[in-house]
Amino acid sequence: MSELKTGDKVKYLKRNKEYYGRIVRLTAKYAVIFNDDSWENTNVSVDKLEMIPPYYLTAEQVKKFIRFEEKWSVITEEADKHADVFFKEPYRMTTDDILTAMRNIKKHEYDSDTIYDEWYKHLYHYFYKYDEYYDGFGFGLEFEDEVIILEETPDDVEMVSFLPDRGDKIAEIIAWLNDIFEYSSDEFYKGLDENISMLENYLEDEEKPIEERHYTDNEKVYFIKSVDNDDRLKKSSKRELEIYRKFVGEMSEKNDITALRCLGYGCYGGNAAYECDWETSLDCMLKLYELTGEPMYANTLGYIYYYGRCWNGEPHYEEAFKYFSIGAAGGYYESRYKLADMYWKGLYVKQNKDIAESILAELYRENIEYIKKGNFDCKFADIALRLGNYYKERYRADSVYECYLQADFAIKRRLQYDYYGDVSVAENIRKELNKLTEKMPKRKKTAMMIYLCDFLNGYLKKYRKLQMKIKLLKDGNAKIIIRIAPFKDEKYPPKMFLTETETGFCGMMESVSFTVKRFSVSGVENIDDLIYFDRIDGEKFYLGDKLTAVIKGEYYFTSPKRETGKKYKFASVYFNDGGKRYDYILGIEGINIGDEVIVMTDRGETVVTVADIAEKSESELALPIGKYKKIIRKNDV
């Protein structure tokens, strides 16, 4: 009996009755058998088990089965009815096989029970790998190797990624057959004829260029969705982009939401598939909003009207206010801060700077929580920039600098997501920050006395409890280190978001250190223990209502030094006369203002004109240095 193994089909006698099942666990003396009839586990002595050898189908038998040229009961008539039936080797199922099977069903006018019992349930079983069994805890699969391999489209047939191939069409028909019992006989045979025609037409279409083939709307939309993201579009071949534009155009005419969205946002500034076309973008957004009522499209419409995209820059503030109001009601941060802009400047509405500042302050409080949690995919940078601008007009110098530092930090982290317009946002932030710092006195690294409660205010009673470690210094003072307390089994708790205007620092810190002069501590059993708190009242530290420490002294904080970084030479260029400027690294000599140079864009090498040349330190840059492209060469043509 040593040949027995887990997964084998076996039979055994119990009280003179024969039982059949499968071994799910096996020891030297006993086996746990999952019974075929009762679906329960039974312990049986190994010496009472008799293995039922599997029955292997030949390649010819498999072919007849797949094509439904013979019924399953005929093909397996020589097999023990309790035996596993396996293929001797994997079978490659072709479109001709599934066509033949469907034609045989039609020819013999089989009813649904016959189709299911004599063909489909076994086909489905092998199509989705080998035998299932129950081990007392759940179902498993006997083998992992593919049994039925689907035919691939021949190499000489033109194909691009995400278009259905022959294997996809076979799988589609098998999935349709899965609902066989839900159809009446007439419905089933009508559907069968449709699937036969569909596959015949598909095979005929293979001889044609892709543009002339008959793809379903669902297939076109699937292709569009699969290609539609900036990275994928940039990597797409010229042929893929041609098919993408064709399908998007066809489905847009049918008012398909996916296609309209792809066309509208593709033309909103342009991408790898489309040139910038504000008129087309506007038409798509109006249709999308009319069809869906989604505030996302209202938000986009607000921008088009606000900046007069379709009217040579002439704003349409009434429409902008209307659509931003809808976007704001739908929770879009961009719409909310654009409404603040309109109230601040009195655009279409009566000027009210208090309302504007109130909107921005609320947005600031909401979005800084995302930053604290390390979620940089938010609108905090735009909001902090605006709030800084508002404060600048109202003469709050320290608040202005703090907001600009935070905006600069946030936008540099958000640039990794490559959103449209973020480069301009980054440049505007850096421009304002550079103008402000030019007027400020040079700030050196210095220790500042702070009020700990004010310093940690954003983390007290609003986030998670804090953890404090005390280290006694030789001079009688102390150093305390504070960080966000980790959860159980959390290796790295969130960092703390810190802004310090004295040294121009803004960033995320794993922990914050303070020197405490004239230090004394009480209410702590062991000074080496970690102290937890979420509230500070004067000198007292609390965790909830529990007093955890009393620390007296003067707190001094030394902020990290703000580095200026390495300097780089840049050329500021424009693509169209009077158009927006873009910075490129200038690493070659002999280039002067007014020269034409070659740069690389999504559409290949492009001629641009140098508008300015300047050296900038890394800390003055709007983007991380790795984001900047280089001037390739001078245009000598």
Side-chain angles (χ1 to χ4, degrees), residues 23-85:
I23 299 174
V24 293
R25 282 193 293 279
L26 185 66
T27 66
K29 294 183 178 181
Y30 290 93
V32 178
I33 308 298
F34 180 70
N35 190 280
D36 285 353
D37 296 321
S38 66
W39 279 38
E40 293 179 349
N41 286 339
T42 305
N43 291 325
V44 182
S45 175
V46 169
D47 57 14
K48 293 182 179 180
L49 297 175
E50 181 181 342
M51 189 179 90
I52 303 173
Y55 182 78
Y56 288 92
L57 297 177
T58 65
E60 186 59 31
Q61 286 176 309
V62 172
K63 184 174 182 178
K64 288 182 177 180
F65 155 62
I66 294 290
R67 296 164 73 93
F68 208 2
E69 293 173 336
E70 285 189 2
K71 295 179 180 178
W72 180 258
S73 58
V74 174
I75 290 173
T76 61
E77 60 186 353
E78 295 182 4
D80 187 302
K81 68 177 183 178
H82 296 285
D84 288 324
V85 179

Side-chain angles (χ1 to χ4, degrees), residues 180-192:
I180 188 170
F181 291 111
E182 295 184 11
Y183 307 114
S184 67
S185 179
D186 289 343
E187 288 174 332
F188 173 75
Y189 278 96
K190 179 183 178 183
L192 191 71

Side-chain angles (χ1 to χ4, degrees), residues 373-387:
K373 295 174 184 177
N375 298 329
F376 302 112
D377 183 13
C378 68
K379 295 297 177 181
F380 180 75
D382 315 74
I383 294 160
L385 171 62
R386 279 173 169 78
L387 198 57

